[in-house]
Amino acid sequence: MNILLCPPKILLQHSPNAWHELQQSTPLVIATCASQKAAILQHMGNDFTFLFYENFNDNPLVELDIYHYARSNNASGIYFLAEIDVLRAARISDRLGLTQGRENAAILFRDKFLMKSRVQQYQLPIPAMARVGNATAMASFIAQHGYPCVIKPNDGRGSLGVVVLKNEGQLFKYLAQMKSSEYHNLLIEKFIEGEAYQINALYLQGKPIFISASRATVSCLDFLSGQTLGLVMEDDNPLHQKLIDYTKYLAKEVFPIEKNTLLHLEVFVDQGGNIIFGELACRLGGCFVNEELGAAFGLDPRMTWLKACLNETYPRDLAQRIPVIRVGQLNVPPSQGTLQAIADKCPLPFVINYRATGVVGRHYDVMKLTNGEIVSAIVEGESSREIEEHLAMLTQWVIDNTHWVKDTVH
């Protein structure tokens, strides 16, 4: 028996058949949030054992309960699919004696200061950075490196709590709303001007099955502020190969990745073509990334990884893949107001996957995490330029077919 920690959003993204296939070799117990219990049971049926928890992401008792459940039922593995579960799955696994040192390895994927310090040890460029625990430390860093700068939680996820400061007035405004208890876990960095890229990879038996690089049309902070986020698969060009080689180097030389691993890398490329490290996670990117990669490479990355983890006899002859088609991804954030209408299907011929998750009649606020999109879609194209054109056309179509009653500003 194996245990998977998994949020409802990911559970509902995959078909019941996909989940049932995982049960063929060994039973799978799924720990998740009780907030969508009815939807999960309706979607997946009665063939699974679930451990439902209130406030799953932030409930400290989850770790203890899963540990005791795993121990009582002789669990053979503890797995995860989301950022919030990286460390607690590792802690449970180490405490059960199923692994040794997994928590220490996992910390490098969650502690941004340790992560970037390790990258710097290998002479790879990173933004100037420092841990900060007070206003004086922030001011001293800014005096040395100047504006703009970025302040973020050192172990944050989904861009929660990330702030870009461009001048002293913004710094004072930021400090004025802070509580003293919030100072203990902050990282400050020099803001990097450049194109943002996201690279996702699947490694099985220590070999890359695919590594895919996409350019982001806006930043994650722009996405949080209400702009649509597009991801455009790069054409085969020198920069694309440079990003692939950079990712391989990180996986082989810099970070202690396991033989079966999903990776999500974020970097910036400056005007001189230099790659500046952003951060690395031992899971796929969020939003519609799994679907994007599935369309491009003809396999489901998450399910392929889980099958390899759960079954040692899973085919080991999977060769490195190249894209079957070239694709792009669109994610549309909510507006601040009440959703009045949204299209549940898209007729545009280049859209190969479309999902509207916005709920008509629901009031929405500005997103706090980069996982609250109301529309996600995958488009295809012959080149990155055509993909970007298709994303722009789809964006306009979504705008024309989505209607809001905006909040009144007083």
Side-chain angles (χ1 to χ4, degrees), residues 228-294:
T228 58
L229 170 64
L231 294 171
V232 181
M233 283 187 67
E234 275 294 306
D235 294 329
D236 292 326
N237 55 37
L239 175 58
H240 179 257
Q241 188 57 50
K242 189 176 180 181
L243 291 168
I244 301 302
D245 292 342
Y246 181 89
T247 306
K248 288 181 178 179
Y249 180 76
L250 290 178
K252 182 179 180 181
E253 302 293 342
V254 181
F255 286 92
I257 71 167
E258 299 187 5
K259 63 179 181 179
N260 299 320
T261 301
L262 292 167
L263 293 175
H264 175 70
L265 171 65
E266 297 181 7
V267 301
F268 297 94
V269 178
D270 66 16
Q271 293 183 345
N274 302 303
I275 299 175
I276 314 297
F277 181 86
E279 57 185 74
L280 180 67
C282 51
R283 45 84 184 167
L284 278 190
C287 298
F288 229 30
V289 167
N290 194 75
E291 288 78 359
E292 172 195 340
L293 298 170

Side-chain angles (χ1 to χ4, degrees), residues 77-94:
I78 311 294
Y79 301 99
F80 64 90
L81 285 172
E83 188 81 4
I84 191 67
D85 298 318
V86 171
L87 273 174
R88 59 183 178 183
R91 287 192 290 261
I92 296 167
S93 183
D94 280 354

Side-chain angles (χ1 to χ4, degrees), residues 103-270:
E103 180 184 3
N104 288 336
I107 286 174
L108 288 173
F109 295 96
R110 294 295 296 125
D111 186 308
K112 292 177 173 57
F113 183 81
L114 293 179
M115 178 194 301
K116 293 180 181 181
S117 296
R118 189 177 182 93
V119 170
Q120 190 175 39
Q121 290 173 8
Y122 286 80
Q123 286 76 53
L124 297 175
I126 65 167
M129 65 167 188
R131 293 184 190 271
V132 287
N134 52 69
T136 298
M138 293 180 192
S140 296
F141 180 91
I142 293 169
Q144 181 178 358
H145 299 285
Y147 291 103
C149 64
V150 182
I151 299 179
K152 63 182 71 175
N154 188 49
D155 61 351
R157 59 187 179 88
S159 297
L160 179 66
V162 178
V163 178
V164 177
L165 302 177
K166 298 180 180 180
N167 53 56
E168 192 172 76
Q170 291 182 358
L171 172 63
F172 288 174
K173 183 178 180 180
Y174 172 76
L175 293 172
Q177 53 82 41
M178 284 194 70
K179 299 176 182 178
S180 59
S181 61
E182 296 172 334
Y183 278 114
H184 74 285
N185 189 37
L186 293 177
L187 183 72
I188 189 169
E189 296 178 345
K190 178 66 178 175
F191 182 84
I192 300 298
E193 297 282 356
E195 296 275 12
Y197 286 83
Q198 297 187 11
I199 301 97
N200 290 278
L202 169 63
Y203 275 72
L204 297 182
Q205 297 299 319
K207 298 179 180 179
I209 303 303
F210 68 75
I211 301 176
S212 178
S214 295
R215 178 174 52 83
T217 57
V218 300
S219 71
C220 290
L221 291 181
D222 290 333
F223 184 40
L224 283 179
S225 69
Q227 297 185 44
T228 58
L229 170 64
L231 294 171
V232 181
M233 283 187 67
E234 275 294 306
D235 294 329
D236 292 326
N237 55 37
L239 175 58
H240 179 257
Q241 188 57 50
K242 189 176 180 181
L243 291 168
I244 301 302
D245 292 342
Y246 181 89
T247 306
K248 288 181 178 179
Y249 180 76
L250 290 178
K252 182 179 180 181
E253 302 293 342
V254 181
F255 286 92
I257 71 167
E258 299 187 5
K259 63 179 181 179
N260 299 320
T261 301
L262 292 167
L263 293 175
H264 175 70
L265 171 65
E266 297 181 7
V267 301
F268 297 94
V269 178
D270 66 16

